[in-house]
């Protein structure tokens, strides 16, 4: 029993060690002098806010009432497609995979893994954590705003019209503004542009169709959807900036632009052999013992060697 307790305590210490290492890195990055220019001045943010509010109001007065009758007149198969897109707009499709990845990686014993492999999985974990909080954070805030505003959904249109407000009703039919699905869609679009730039068009189209489906199924007005898209996208950009300030998941360029940190991931996935070693390192970290890296070392190209990794880093810096 004492041996089992010892092993359990040692395994439970790994998440603490990993969290401490993350916090220490963030502390060191914050102490560095900032060399990048701010992306937005306060006046820019105010202007963007005013423009966003104006667009939402214009769309609301021009299209909200009309959208109800148009949605009711759509063919049945369009409603089926809208229901399908709305289903995949639920945030658990992003939250669960990202959360599982973060939990798995935080529980590993990464000190026994080669530095190149460890750095690649650190980048994966940081980006997964960002994706989780981009979706979860924006969703939590939007759901709070929904309760405060209490706008009626399209099914209440015949009784109350398009602009009825019942604040703090805490019932589903008065939780229309902003759209939660559209907020998730806005976050997904931002994630595509920031984390998966090669696939940004796919993320953009998927996010827009997902958000638009909420009007088709008469769950939201167009202004609800536009507000959700803007908020989800803006929140995700802001969050990426906060991550970049801590040197985690993102970095800022000299002009203030934000880019995802993926250099180690790209290096670790250049060849099938490196990919095999990458996942062998994950298995070793989760097991807490060197097993698979040693077994696969003969198929590698030396990229798992710590000394070579440090030389490469010094050469590229």
């Amino acid at each position: 029993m004492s041996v089992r307790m010892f092993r359990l305590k040692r395994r439970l210490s790994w998440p603490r060690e990993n969290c401490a290492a993350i916090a220490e890195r963030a502390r060191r990055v914050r102490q560095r002098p900032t060399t990048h220019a701010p992306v937005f001045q306060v006046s820019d943010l105010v202007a963007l806010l005013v423009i966003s509010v104006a667009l939402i109001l214009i769309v609301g007065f021009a299209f909200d009432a009309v959208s109800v009758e148009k949605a009711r007149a759509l063919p049945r198969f369009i409603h089926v497609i809208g229901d399908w897109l709305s289903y995949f707009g639920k945030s658990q499709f992003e939250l669960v995979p990202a959360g599982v990845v973060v939990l798995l990686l935080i529980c590993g014993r990464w000190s026994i893994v080669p530095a190149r492999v460890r750095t690649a999985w650190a980048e994966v974990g940081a980006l997964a954590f960002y994706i989780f909080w981009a979706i979860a954070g924006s969703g939590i805030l939007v759901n709070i705003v929904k309760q405060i505003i209490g706008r009626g959904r399209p099914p209440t249109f015949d009784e109350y019209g398009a602009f009825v407000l019942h604040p703090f009703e805490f019932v589903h039919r008065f939780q229309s503004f902003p759209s939660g699905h559209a907020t998730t869609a806005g976050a997904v679009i931002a994630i595509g542009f920031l984390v998966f730039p090669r696939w940004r068009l796919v993320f953009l189209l998927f996010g827009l169709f997902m958000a638009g489906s909420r009007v088709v199924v008469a769950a939201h007005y167009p202004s609800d959807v536009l507000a959700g898209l803007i908020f989800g996208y803006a929140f995700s950009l802001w969050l990426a900036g906060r991550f970049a300030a801590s040197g985690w998941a993102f970095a800022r360029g000299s002009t203030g632009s934000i880019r995802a940190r993926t250099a180690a991931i790209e290096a670790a996935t250049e060849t099938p052999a490196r990919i095999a070693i990458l996942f062998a390192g994950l298995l070793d970290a989760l097991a807490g013992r060197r097993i698979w890296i040693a077994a696969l070392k003969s198929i590698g190209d030396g990229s798992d060697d710590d000394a070579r990794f440090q030389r490469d880093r010094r050469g590229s810096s």
Side-chain angles (χ1 to χ4, degrees), residues 72-118:
R72 291 172 179 173
L74 289 172
R76 174 62 184 165
F77 79 93
I78 298 294
H79 285 279
V80 172
I81 295 173
D83 285 331
W84 182 78
L85 286 169
S86 286
Y87 175 75
F88 284 101
K90 295 180 178 179
S91 58
Q92 62 258 35
F93 288 104
E94 295 83 24
L95 292 177
V96 172
V100 168
V101 169
V102 171
L103 288 176
L104 276 177
L105 296 180
I106 207 71
C107 292
R109 186 186 178 193
W110 294 102
S111 59
I112 67 170
V113 174
R116 187 182 293 273
V117 176
R118 183 168 64 245

Side-chain angles (χ1 to χ4, degrees), residues 158-236:
D158 292 336
E159 184 178 0
Y160 296 107
F163 301 104
V164 63
L165 302 179
H166 285 209
F168 302 105
E169 286 275 338
F170 301 108
V171 292
H172 181 261
R173 67 180 189 146
F174 292 112
Q175 296 175 1
S176 190
F177 184 91
S179 165
H181 282 68
T183 300
T184 298
V188 166
I189 292 170
I191 289 166
F193 275 83
L194 291 171
V195 182
F196 306 101
R198 292 182 181 178
W199 296 91
R200 59 183 177 271
L201 182 59
V202 174
F203 279 78
L204 175 63
L205 293 175
F206 177 71
L208 291 177
F209 279 116
M210 182 204 306
S213 71
R214 302 304 286 164
V215 178
V216 171
V217 300
H220 288 285
Y221 295 103
S223 59
D224 302 334
V225 169
L226 180 59
L229 282 169
I230 292 173
F231 182 78
Y233 190 87
F235 178 87
S236 300

Side-chain angles (χ1 to χ4, degrees), residues 28-38 241-242 244-246 252-254:
R28 292 199 308 269
V29 170
R30 288 197 184 97
Q31 289 179 343
R32 297 174 186 170
T34 54
T35 57
H36 59 79
R242 302 321 307 155
S246 297
R252 281 196 185 275
S254 58

Side-chain angles (χ1 to χ4, degrees), residues 97-98 101-102 105 110 117-132 195-196 248-249 261-266 268-269 278-279 282:
V101 169
V102 171
L105 296 180
W110 294 102
V117 176
R118 183 168 64 245
T119 304
W121 282 116
E123 289 182 351
V124 171
L127 290 172
F129 192 70
Y130 164 74
I131 291 170
F132 182 91
V195 182
F196 306 101
W248 211 40
R261 292 179 177 269
T262 58
I265 297 173
E266 292 169 3
T269 55
L278 180 69
F279 284 95
L282 173 63

